[in-house]
Amino acid sequence: MDQPGRNAVNDESIAKKRLMVRPTHRHLGSAIRLAAFAGVSTLLLSGCGNGEDEHAKQVEADKAATSDSALIKQGLYMAQASDCAACHTTEDGEDYAGGLTFETPVGEIFSTNITPDTEHGIGNYTLEEYTRVLREGEAADGHNLYPAMPFPSYARLTDDDIKALYAWNMHDVEPSSTPNRESEIPFPLNMRWPMGLWEEIFSPLEPWQDTADKSADWNRGAYLVQGPGHCGSCHTERGLAFQEKALTGDEEGYLGGAMIEGWRAFNLTPDIKDGLGSWSEQDIVTYLSTGNLKGKAQAGGPMADVITHSMRHMTDEDLNAMAVYLKSLPALNGKGEQGEAVNDDDRKAEAAKSSEKQADDKGSQDTPQVATRFNQGAPADDVLLLRGQPLDKRPDDEDLIGQLTEATPGVRLYLGHCAMCHGADGAGTQDGYYPSLFHNSVTGSVYPDNLAQAILNGVQRENNGHSVFMPAFDTSLTDDELINLMDYLENRFGEGHQAKTLATPDTRRQQLSDKLEDWRGE
């Protein structure tokens, strides 16, 4: 048998050694790579951990720096001025725990939990993150908020007021573990990144700085109206991108009136016919502090919430400052065009002329020269003709029968549902708790929405010292009955305005009928 050569043996030995060595090289290489990966990962995780630790330390430092009781009290006042509770507290929910539904053209969204809960709320926000979400609408995790949050207005908030709000939010609000609800806007419309572009385009305001040539009252009022009060969010029309068409009085259309949640947020400019030109500054203060200006207006719907949660808690000095600013705005008429402004000096001059006229012409009564939504109608007398009679009978006077034929369904409904509180003549009560239905902004307006909403959904608001309540008739009135009642109320208690601005009664009834679906929320 041939013996293997030396070279062959050596080759075989080398091969065996290679087989033994190669796995060692492979394991060693893997070990080196694994060690390197572990090292890098450790560094990255260590960096993340350090970042989280630094953030947590900053949160604690910011909370500690804002624990002063006076600062917290200032923050509570600013939270009330900003009306935080109205949007972030539901009827049956915990305070500021969110969950309130907002209807949008593309789906429902829900207000968020803004309690200092660290899991579901904002308890892990630094002051810097808190400032950014208020002014820019960007949450701590980087996602952008929908503009239902009035950050375009809150961009006006001063650093001091934001710091005070932070103090109140972190130290005075009870934490709630209520989880946030996801929006019901479908994909791809629910993507948040376009909201960043929206903010860049439609939220241009900077933190407030006083205007040197304006009074202290004007500056304070402008700040409160434009900033924390965010009045334009409801009272200024919005564009196709849901942006407010104007954010200050320097821009066309500011506070000229708009629709909000099925209600008409009325014109706040000093136009004599369509705005607040017939109101004095004191009238504005009275309305904002109580929600009731006898013989002119009562707050319902979203404005009742503003009174309940916000305005009634503010000082008379701040409310007066807001009135000063509102009376200084450019007047806008009902078409959004330049209107006729009237201020307190004009009103005093007109009152002096009226007094002189009445002195020269005894027995005459001064009648308003301009018809507004606040001075329409008169006490009802037709209802009195049915008092004490069965409702299926009519008076014997044929002429009177002819006048009552169309109104009879509305008269009956008024007697059955309204007269007990508002009186058979519609004059309400002397103290104004049950308001007069004539000389009333709701019945005197060409917009029927607030009248319908008040009837269907009632009115509820808190005043300083008592509650105001009107029951809802949504389930007790059919569509036809609602139209009949509204037709009567408008034409009886708003007749002066209706006669000049509305089409024929049949056309008006059709206009009301066309809105039933919106009013019923169907």
Side-chain angles (χ1 to χ4, degrees):
M1 174 181 266
D2 294 335
Q3 295 293 321
R6 182 177 179 179
N7 291 338
V9 173
N10 290 340
D11 290 343
E12 182 178 353
S13 298
I14 292 171
K16 288 180 178 179
K17 289 180 179 179
R18 284 176 178 170
L19 287 173
M20 295 173 66
V21 171
R22 280 176 181 165
T24 303
H25 283 310
R26 286 200 297 270
H27 291 314
L28 181 59
S30 297
I32 293 172
R33 287 193 295 272
L34 181 60
F37 176 76
V40 172
S41 299
T42 301
L43 288 173
L44 290 173
L45 291 174
S46 176
C48 291
N50 288 337
E52 291 176 356
D53 290 344
E54 290 301 318
H55 182 271
K57 289 178 181 177
Q58 187 62 54
V59 171
E60 292 307 312
D62 288 343
K63 290 181 179 179
T66 56
S67 59
D68 179 71
S69 59
L71 189 64
I72 295 171
K73 184 177 180 181
Q74 178 189 345
L76 170 61
Y77 184 78
M78 289 310 302
Q80 292 167 335
S82 304
D83 203 16
C84 302
C87 289
H88 290 277
T89 303
T90 60
E91 185 175 354
D92 300 320
E94 296 179 276
D95 289 348
Y96 306 104
L100 191 70
T101 303
F102 292 87
E103 299 283 349
T104 78
V106 292
E108 292 182 342
I109 60 176
F110 307 93
S111 64
T112 55
N113 182 335
I114 61 167
T115 73
D117 182 74
T118 55
E119 182 178 0
H120 299 291
I122 59 174
N124 286 326
Y125 272 54
T126 65
L127 177 57
E128 180 182 358
E129 291 167 339
Y130 192 83
T131 301
R132 187 163 61 246
V133 74
L134 286 176
R135 286 181 176 161
E136 301 174 26
E138 182 182 322
D141 64 4
H143 80 266
N144 295 102
L145 305 185
Y146 295 114
M149 161 71 170
F151 57 84
S153 296
Y154 290 164
R156 278 297 205 210
L157 289 169
T158 64
D159 290 343
D160 287 345
D161 281 342
I162 290 180
K163 184 177 180 180
L165 280 166
Y166 183 84
W168 161 80
N169 219 156
M170 295 302 173
H171 298 288
D172 199 39
V173 177
E174 287 294 325
S176 170
S177 60
T178 303
N180 291 308
R181 295 180 62 180
E182 293 293 330
S183 79
E184 296 184 0
I185 299 175
F187 181 82
L189 297 175
N190 63 346
M191 292 190 294
R192 298 281 189 144
W193 65 265
M195 293 297 99
L197 299 176
W198 190 98
E199 190 271 337
E200 289 290 334
I201 298 171
F202 298 120
S203 183
L205 295 184
E206 297 292 333
W208 178 260
Q209 291 186 345
D210 283 352
T211 300
D213 61 349
K214 297 293 186 179
S215 68
D217 278 345
W218 187 97
N219 276 296
R220 179 63 174 173
Y223 172 63
L224 292 170
V225 170
Q226 294 178 21
H230 60 281
C231 303
S233 294
C234 293
H235 290 271
T236 300
E237 286 191 349
R238 293 182 180 260
L240 293 177
F242 201 63
Q243 84 282 10
E244 294 169 48
K245 291 184 176 180
L247 292 169
T248 73
D250 296 328
E251 300 171 332
E252 185 176 350
Y254 186 58
L255 301 183
M259 291 299 299
I260 178 74
E261 298 178 16
W263 292 74
R264 182 71 185 177
F266 284 121
N267 184 336
L268 298 185
T269 74
D271 180 69
I272 183 59
K273 180 178 180 182
D274 297 302
L276 303 181
S278 62
W279 292 32
S280 67
E281 290 174 4
Q282 182 56 50
D283 285 343
I284 296 174
V285 172
T286 299
Y287 177 80
L288 292 178
S289 60
T290 66
N292 182 15
L293 184 59
K294 185 179 178 182
K296 287 187 177 179
Q298 299 77 40
M303 192 62 202
D305 291 337
V306 173
I307 300 298
T308 296
H309 298 295
S310 180
M311 294 292 114
R312 71 188 180 101
H313 299 288
M314 298 183 69
T315 65
D316 284 347
E317 290 78 11
D318 276 350
L319 294 179
N320 184 72
M322 294 174 71
V324 168
Y325 175 69
L326 290 174
K327 298 295 284 185
S328 76
L329 292 172
L332 296 173
N333 62 25
K335 298 179 180 179
E337 301 168 347
Q338 181 177 350
E340 180 184 354
V342 174
N343 58 37
D344 281 11
D345 291 337
D346 297 330
R347 188 174 297 99
K348 290 175 183 177
E350 185 63 33
K353 289 182 180 179
S354 298
S355 298
E356 292 175 2
K357 179 180 178 183
Q358 290 181 9
D360 293 339
D361 186 11
K362 293 182 180 180
S364 68
Q365 292 185 344
D366 182 49
T367 57
Q369 294 181 350
V370 178
T372 75
R373 70 175 190 271
F374 307 110
N375 59 16
Q376 301 306 301
D381 52 11
D382 49 1
V383 174
L384 298 175
L385 297 173
L386 296 177
R387 294 289 295 254
Q389 299 182 31
L391 291 179
D392 59 348
K393 293 183 179 180
R394 302 290 182 272
D396 296 330
D397 190 322
E398 293 184 0
D399 293 333
L400 207 52
I401 293 175
Q403 293 177 18
L404 289 174
T405 300
E406 292 296 324
T408 298
V411 170
R412 290 183 172 185
L413 288 164
Y414 180 80
L415 282 173
H417 294 288
C418 312
M420 180 176 292
C421 295
H422 296 283
D425 61 354
T429 55
Q430 284 291 328
D431 62 2
Y433 182 85
Y434 295 114
S436 169
L437 297 180
F438 55 89
H439 295 185
N440 188 304
S441 67
V442 171
T443 54
S445 172
V446 294
Y447 298 102
D449 307 276
N450 291 11
L451 178 58
Q453 294 287 2
I455 294 171
L456 293 174
N457 300 310
V459 173
Q460 186 171 1
R461 70 175 181 270
E462 293 298 319
N463 198 346
N464 293 322
H466 64 272
S467 298
V468 175
F469 177 77
M470 169 182 163
F473 294 96
D474 185 21
T475 59
S476 58
L477 292 176
T478 67
D479 287 350
D480 285 342
E481 287 173 337
L482 176 63
I483 297 300
N484 285 332
L485 179 57
M486 289 182 66
D487 182 57
Y488 173 75
L489 292 173
E490 283 192 334
N491 285 285
R492 191 66 193 83
F493 300 116
E495 59 187 9
H497 201 86
Q498 308 303 331
K500 295 180 181 179
T501 60
L502 299 180
T504 62
D506 287 344
T507 302
R508 180 57 167 179
R509 289 178 66 87
Q510 186 60 51
Q511 291 173 348
L512 300 180
S513 181
D514 290 343
K515 286 203 163 193
L516 279 171
E517 190 171 307
D518 292 336
W519 293 333
R520 293 284 192 183
E522 299 171 351

